[in-house]
Amino acid sequence: MNGTGDCWTEQERLEKVDPEMYDLIRKEKNRQRKGLELIASENFASRAVLEPLSSCLNNKYSEGQPGQRYYGGNEYIDQIELLCQKRALQLYGLDPEKWGVNVQPLSGSPANFAVYTGVVGPHGRIMGLDLPDGGHLSHGFMTSSRKVSATSVFFESFPYKLDPATGLIDYDKLAETARLFHPQIIIAGISCYSRHLDYKRFKEIADENDAYLLADMAHISGLVAAGVIPSPFEHCDIVTTTTHKTLRGARSGMIFFRKGVRKVLKNGTEVKYDLEKRINEAVFPGLQGGPHNHQIAAVAVALREANTPAFKTYQQQVLVNAKVMSKRFQEKGFTVVSGGTDTHLILVDLRPQGLDGARAEKVLEEIGVACNKNTCPGDKSALKPSGLRFGSPALTSRNLKATDFEQVVDFIIEGINLTKEVASSCGPTLKEFRAKLETDEAVRAKIQAVKGRVEAFAEKFPMPGFDEL
Ligand SMILES: *Cc1c(COP(=O)(O)O)cnc(C)c1O
């Protein structure tokens, strides 16, 4: 099927046209099905979400906004984009008089870049959570020797940090540095931070500096939609998001912006928001060309799915499962950063085990468990992260429940113990570790044995979006 109900003929199928690519996709499908997916930013979209992605919508150019396009033939494309916008506002309970949304950003990073471009312009000042502390690259990451993210090249970025003692955002320090840096945008958004954000406090700090508060809810937009964690919309001026993480949609990005009165001055004059035009024009013609209409349609489908009781139940289970992981790790003597989680992810600090994230991640990958190495509060170098980040959204989409997640943690601990075993019997460098891991026959046999059990376990669970092997 191709999103319009038409069936392909045998000769048209990818399998016949490009067997090489077909084979690679089939292998990837098999990898996803047999492995345990714990990367906190990933999820499995439904069949209904995947369908528009391979539809005729791929073929159409529609630069501009609905009703004001630079190309003809956009009667239905306009309806698709307007429907996506309407569903986005509805899902988050937003009044169309007070909020607008742009659904054209191609993904989360381009959405953020469009906000900076439209709202503060070149060399505008931006404060986001530092990458090693759980922020995102696109919030302006740089090191002492290199401006890594283009956000730090074209804008001036100044990070705020966690309190290393608690693993929590140091709001007082943020307030203090904001007074010195005079940011024009403060970003409340995370890629690896498991606690609720204090949007009210962020807003107070933003107001004190006459800055816009941008919430980047990329990781948590599904949880926010389901109403199971605090929403950023009450306190923020702008909200960006990806659509493929907890929201479980197609890969894409969205920007929500406030409309109407921003503030009333002491003399009674109303100051209006002018975000709509600035943000829309930054997306197009500023940064992008034709919108990806197949993505926009697939996002619209996901937004519809997210506006159901079943989605709320799903997100409640995502939270339960993350808590189960956290508790199980702690019971087995592991350190969870900040002592637990309020969201879909946890960060396990391996320093007390005498290990680092890179080695453990490698062994886990070998046994069929996907996760990321991540820096922990207080890590000296972003290049040698000492923790592992685990998220529950993807496996919860495969219907794993609390007891299943306990089993998943037990597999992970087997992997960590194997990591210790290998690390203690080889030289100190990562290269020596890898060599031992790849060539030692006894180690290989142990890995194969665990991997076999992981695969047998994973295969029991259904895979959304896949109709065949
Ligand atoms: C994932 C993420 C993004 C970027 O999304 P891409 O779609 O990968 O560009 C932006 N911000 C945050 C907080 C994220 O976690």
Side-chain angles (χ1 to χ4, degrees):
M1 304 286 261
N2 65 358
T4 57
D6 303 335
C7 287
W8 290 306
T9 66
E10 274 307 301
Q11 287 312 309
E12 285 172 314
R13 296 187 78 96
L14 180 63
E15 186 175 3
K16 284 277 158 45
V17 176
D18 187 346
E20 193 180 3
M21 183 53 73
Y22 176 83
D23 187 49
L24 286 169
I25 296 175
R26 214 176 51 91
K27 283 178 175 153
E28 169 59 14
K29 196 186 231 183
N30 200 39
R31 187 196 68 81
Q32 292 188 13
R33 217 172 52 84
K34 284 186 165 175
L36 291 175
E37 186 52 74
L38 290 158
I39 294 177
S41 48
E42 292 191 13
N43 212 331
F44 299 114
S46 71
R47 181 79 214 164
V49 165
L50 295 179
E51 241 185 81
L53 293 175
S54 64
S55 73
C56 64
L57 299 178
N58 174 71
N59 304 337
K60 191 72 198 95
Y61 249 109
S62 55
E63 285 178 351
Q65 287 283 319
Q68 304 162 294
R69 307 284 193 181
Y70 290 81
Y71 294 78
N74 278 305
E75 183 185 352
Y76 303 111
I77 298 295
D78 278 0
Q79 291 181 43
I80 288 169
E81 187 167 339
L82 290 170
L83 184 59
C84 188
Q85 291 177 356
K86 188 176 101 186
R87 286 181 180 171
L89 295 178
Q90 261 170 6
L91 181 63
Y92 293 101
L94 305 175
D95 176 353
E97 296 291 314
K98 294 186 179 149
W99 285 90
V101 61
N102 188 311
V103 297
Q104 295 186 6
L106 303 177
S107 211
S109 305
N112 286 340
F113 208 81
V115 170
Y116 314 144
T117 303
V119 177
V120 301
H123 299 290
R125 294 179 302 278
I126 295 163
M127 290 186 83
L129 182 60
D130 208 6
L131 178 75
D133 293 49
H136 190 260
L137 260 177
S138 64
H139 298 174
F141 181 57
M142 56 184 187
T143 67
S144 48
S145 58
R146 195 160 80 91
K147 292 185 169 184
V148 181
S149 162
T151 303
S152 65
V153 176
F154 298 108
F155 307 94
E156 305 304 325
S157 64
F158 194 100
Y160 58 90
K161 312 273 297 170
L162 303 180
D163 177 345
T166 57
L168 300 176
I169 289 172
D170 191 340
Y171 292 96
D172 293 337
K173 196 74 180 284
L174 165 61
E176 191 185 314
T177 36
R179 276 177 217 125
L180 300 171
F181 184 63
H182 306 296
Q184 292 155 292
I185 291 183
I186 294 177
I187 308 170
I190 56 87
S191 293
C192 189
Y193 184 75
S194 63
R195 295 308 188 171
H196 292 321
L197 297 180
D198 188 347
Y199 298 110
K200 187 162 173 286
R201 183 80 203 274
F202 272 116
K203 179 65 173 164
E204 285 162 11
I205 301 170
D207 281 347
E208 193 190 330
N209 294 280
D210 206 17
Y212 288 105
L213 180 58
L214 161 63
D216 177 354
M217 62 169 186
H219 256 263
I220 55 170
S221 54
L223 298 164
V224 172
V228 299
I229 63 167
S231 166
F233 286 97
E234 186 188 342
H235 297 291
C236 295
D237 304 295
I238 307 163
V239 177
T240 55
T241 187
T242 57
T243 48
H244 46 276
K245 298 181 182 175
T246 49
L247 194 55
R248 213 164 72 186
R251 309 193 80 77
S252 200
M254 300 195 285
I255 306 170
F256 298 84
F257 43 81
R258 275 192 192 264
K259 305 197 285 196
V261 179
R262 183 177 179 201
K263 61 187 166 193
V264 183
L265 299 181
K266 285 205 183 82
N267 64 11
T269 321
E270 287 186 342
V271 180
K272 292 253 167 74
Y273 280 105
D274 59 353
L275 296 170
E276 179 166 20
K277 188 168 161 15
R278 285 157 72 183
I279 288 173
N280 284 342
E281 288 182 356
V283 173
F284 174 84
L287 292 164
Q288 297 186 179
H292 290 190
N293 296 302
H294 55 315
Q295 271 177 270
I296 291 173
V299 168
V301 174
L303 294 168
R304 183 188 171 112
E305 288 181 345
N307 214 342
T308 59
F311 191 76
K312 178 160 185 155
T313 308
Y314 161 69
Q315 297 295 355
Q316 285 165 335
Q317 191 68 48
V318 166
L319 293 186
V320 167
N321 289 345
K323 285 193 169 63
V324 166
M325 277 199 289
S326 171
K327 184 157 168 277
R328 187 76 163 185
F329 271 114
Q330 287 172 318
E331 281 168 4
K332 303 274 174 173
F334 286 83
T335 303
V336 176
V337 171
S338 87
T341 179
D342 300 326
T343 65
H344 61 298
L345 68 81
I346 63 169
L347 177 60
V348 176
D349 187 346
L350 294 174
R351 282 173 293 194
Q353 324 290 316
L355 290 176
D356 67 292
R359 286 171 176 76
E361 183 198 88
K362 182 76 194 136
V363 174
L364 290 174
E365 183 179 4
E366 298 254 353
I367 65 167
V369 173
C371 64
N372 323 90
K373 55 180 174 295
N374 212 102
T375 42
C376 293
D379 264 350
K380 291 285 170 294
S381 159
L383 299 177
K384 195 166 184 268
S386 54
L388 290 172
R389 182 186 72 160
F390 300 100
S392 59
L395 287 184
T396 306
S397 291
R398 293 187 70 181
N399 216 12
L400 275 77
K401 299 288 197 292
T403 47
D404 306 315
F405 265 86
E406 288 178 351
Q407 175 61 63
V408 168
V409 171
D410 293 349
F411 282 131
I412 296 168
I413 293 175
E414 280 194 64
I416 293 175
N417 288 338
L418 249 170
T419 312
K420 258 190 209 161
E421 206 178 301
V422 177
S424 64
S425 60
C426 69
T429 66
L430 192 55
K431 204 170 156 205
E432 288 164 302
F433 179 85
R434 286 189 174 224
K436 173 98 180 168
L437 190 63
E438 278 155 27
T439 55
D440 188 298
E441 272 178 35
V443 173
R444 292 314 306 165
K446 281 184 191 167
I447 283 177
Q448 284 313 318
V450 187
K451 185 178 186 169
R453 283 185 286 119
V454 166
E455 290 187 350
F457 175 79
E459 277 184 293
K460 291 192 305 195
F461 297 95
M463 192 63 160
F466 296 4
D467 47 6
E468 66 212 31
L469 237 191

